[in-house]
Every structure is written in structure tokens, then in C-alpha cells.
Amino acid sequence: MRKILIPTDFSETSMNAIEYALELFKYDKCEFIIMNAFADEVYNNTMEMDREFFEEFKEKYRTSVENQLQKEVAIMLKRTSNPRHAYNFEARFGSIVDEANQIVERDNIDIVVMGTKGKTQDKDITFGSITLQVIKYVKCPVLAVPVGFHGAPPKNILFPTDYMVPFNRRALKLLSTMAKSFVANINMLFISEFKQRSHRQEDNRAFLDSCFNDNKVEFTQTPGKDITEGINKVLNEKEFDMLVMVNQRHSYLENILYHSTIEKIGLEIKIPFLVMNNLHR
């Protein structure tokens, strides 16, 4: 059974991500865990409160969150009566990253799905700060679904890679299964000014090829030095409905996530973005 964690703040953004996940995994036997981490809300409303009243407020707030989670699960059940799906919910007093990581480790979660604001009035901002924190620090594949995206499950998937970092077989199997369910094409995009690849790159490409034996895969290369510019160019020129990248030590994605101004990573992402974290788990 595939295990899927969905953090929610009960917004339209979160519900959009839930609906997308239900459709994306409709052919799989899944357990969906809907989670709300509410520590920040409690602390922000109890700054001048005595400890006794603080604990009382916290428990009342937990009950309120549990009621909201029950309603959200009821909406999920109403929108799909898929016999392959099971639903649970958890109200957690803590930060979203810490609580998500605890559930990921406890339940061996396959993927975290969450909504993101997508492009805001600031054209440089791609993700909200909470989504970015989850992508950076939760040790599990993370699928960020922009609130404005209401498309069907993927038919064309863009997977930019420099073939320099090793790949996680479990994460690749997840992608392979998702793509196979919808007969989606996976476009492996290599952006480089050099035509010849190193032995390391050739071996990693061969490994990818073997992991996607059952999929439609296209390997393409486009010249260029600026990887962000190259990815944006391809996304604007062709129709893709999912972007996949790997977050690994010393990878391109780690570099832009950790060394760019928070939220302003330069990628123009208007489609679901799957980040496969190759961090220690």
C-alpha cells in the first residue's frame, strides 16, 4: 500500500492539492494521512497567557483542528468513493517540517503532497515559504501542486538532470509507476554546452534507462550554461504537466534552494513540481 502524507491548512490551496492527489493515485492502493501542524497558531494567540490557560487553549485548539480534519476527510470521501483508498488524519502540535518528518519516518511515507501558492504578484516568487521549507528539509519525495493548476494527471513529464548525482531507486520507481498509470512520457532533459558526457554521467543515464524500462522515455540535450534559463525556456516552449527534479548534496537544485534568496529561485513553475529528495532517510 502506498502511503501519502498531505499537510493541510484548510485552504483552497490545500484542497486543490488533495483533489490532485486523489486523481493522481486513483489506480493505486493508498493510505492518505491528512495532517495539520498547529503550534504556530497556538503560540501566536497565547503570547501573554498564563501556562494554565495556555494548556487549556492548546487542547481546545487541537479539538477544533481535529474537527476540521474530519470535515476535510468527509469531503474526500464524498468526492471519491475509491475502494483502493483509506483515509486518516492527525492534528500535530509542532512545526510542519518536524511533524512531517516524524510521520515520514514512523509510517515509511512514499510521498508528501502539498499545495503551494504558485506565482504571486511578485513575479520572482515561485513558492510560499512553508512549501519551500518542506521541499528543502522533509526527507521524502515532495509534490508541490500550484493552486492555479487544475489539470488532469500527467501526460508529459519534464525531468531535467545533469546525470552527475546518483538516483534513489525507490523514488524513481514511484515516478515510473505514476507515469505508467497514465501512459505519460518522461522527457529527460540534459542542459550542457558539452556534447560528450563523462563515464559517471553515462553510468547514471544507463541506470535511469533501466529504472524506466516500462515507460515511454525520451532523452534530449539542449546547449546552454544557465540551467534555470534552459528549464524555463523548455517549459515555455512545450506543454508539460509535471516537473521532476532531484534534491541531492551538490546538485543544481540544492544550489538554487540553499543559495538563492528564500522563495526567489528563478524557476517559473506553474505545474505540479515533484522533488525527489536523495537526502539521508
Side-chain angles (χ1 to χ4, degrees):
M1 176 179 284
R2 192 180 304 286
K3 294 197 173 185
I4 301 163
L5 175 64
I6 307 182
T8 179
D9 61 1
F10 310 112
S11 64
E12 177 189 350
T13 303
S14 293
M15 183 51 67
N16 186 63
I18 288 172
E19 291 177 348
Y20 184 79
L22 292 174
E23 183 67 17
L24 183 63
F25 297 106
K26 65 181 178 181
Y27 298 119
D28 298 343
K29 190 175 182 181
C30 300
E31 177 187 2
F32 292 91
I33 301 173
I34 314 302
M35 182 267 285
N36 176 267
F38 61 92
D40 286 346
E41 288 79 0
V42 170
Y43 286 132
N44 290 340
N45 285 283
T46 57
M47 294 177 66
E48 299 179 0
M49 194 176 288
D50 291 340
R51 192 72 199 184
E52 178 184 351
F53 295 110
F54 168 83
E55 293 296 338
E56 183 180 339
F57 181 89
K58 183 174 77 172
E59 290 312 308
K60 286 182 178 179
Y61 200 93
R62 181 189 299 277
T63 300
S64 173
V65 168
E66 288 175 345
N67 289 336
Q68 287 178 282
L69 288 168
Q70 282 183 316
K71 290 177 182 178
E72 206 149 82
V73 168
I75 292 172
M76 295 171 72
L77 286 167
K78 186 176 181 180
R79 295 191 179 182
T80 173
S81 56
N82 194 326
R84 299 182 182 92
H85 292 173
Y87 308 97
N88 286 301
F89 64 85
E90 295 198 25
R92 309 275 296 207
F93 183 73
S95 73
I96 187 170
V97 169
D98 288 344
E99 299 308 316
N101 268 323
Q102 286 185 25
I103 296 174
V104 164
E105 184 175 351
R106 183 196 70 193
D107 293 347
N108 198 23
I109 296 293
D110 292 290
I111 186 171
V112 175
V113 180
M114 68 182 302
T116 184
K117 293 178 181 178
K119 288 294 180 181
T120 65
Q121 290 181 349
D122 184 337
K123 66 179 182 179
D124 294 323
I125 294 179
T126 300
F127 302 113
S129 59
I130 293 176
T131 305
L132 201 58
Q133 287 175 35
V134 173
I135 288 174
K136 288 165 67 172
Y137 301 119
V138 172
K139 299 171 184 177
C140 177
V142 176
L143 178 61
V145 184
V147 67
F149 184 84
H150 301 290
K155 288 295 183 181
N156 290 295
I157 300 169
L158 181 63
F159 190 161
T161 176
D162 60 6
Y163 303 116
M164 288 299 294
V165 297
F167 298 96
N168 181 293
R169 187 180 293 274
R170 176 179 175 180
L172 292 178
K173 185 176 181 181
L174 170 72
L175 175 59
S176 173
T177 303
M178 285 167 43
K180 187 178 178 182
S181 295
F182 300 99
V183 199
N185 181 68
I186 301 173
N187 188 323
M188 308 297 303
L189 174 65
F190 178 45
I191 300 170
S192 176
E193 57 184 325
F194 304 106
K195 291 185 178 181
Q196 189 170 355
R197 291 183 292 270
S198 68
H199 294 302
R200 181 193 299 274
Q201 289 172 312
E202 289 292 349
D203 287 346
N204 284 333
R205 172 173 164 161
F207 178 72
L208 280 172
D209 210 7
S210 68
C211 289
F212 294 130
N213 261 335
D214 297 329
N215 302 99
K216 297 191 298 180
V217 182
E218 182 180 353
F219 291 89
T220 59
Q221 180 172 346
T222 185
K225 293 182 180 180
D226 190 321
I227 297 177
T228 300
E229 183 181 307
I231 294 172
N232 286 334
K233 185 173 183 291
V234 172
L235 286 174
N236 289 325
E237 288 179 350
K238 299 180 181 179
E239 287 191 13
F240 290 99
D241 32 40
M242 183 176 287
L243 175 66
V244 179
M245 296 185 74
V246 175
N247 186 21
Q248 163 84 17
R249 297 297 181 219
H250 312 301
S251 67
Y252 156 74
L253 185 56
E254 187 201 43
N255 184 59
I256 63 170
L257 288 177
Y258 288 85
H259 297 97
S260 298
T261 303
I262 190 163
E263 299 180 346
K264 299 187 178 183
I265 65 175
L267 289 172
E268 298 171 4
I269 304 172
K270 302 175 184 177
I271 56 178
F273 180 33
L274 174 61
V275 178
M276 298 193 292
N277 283 305
N278 280 8
L279 307 174
H280 179 69
R281 184 173 175 181

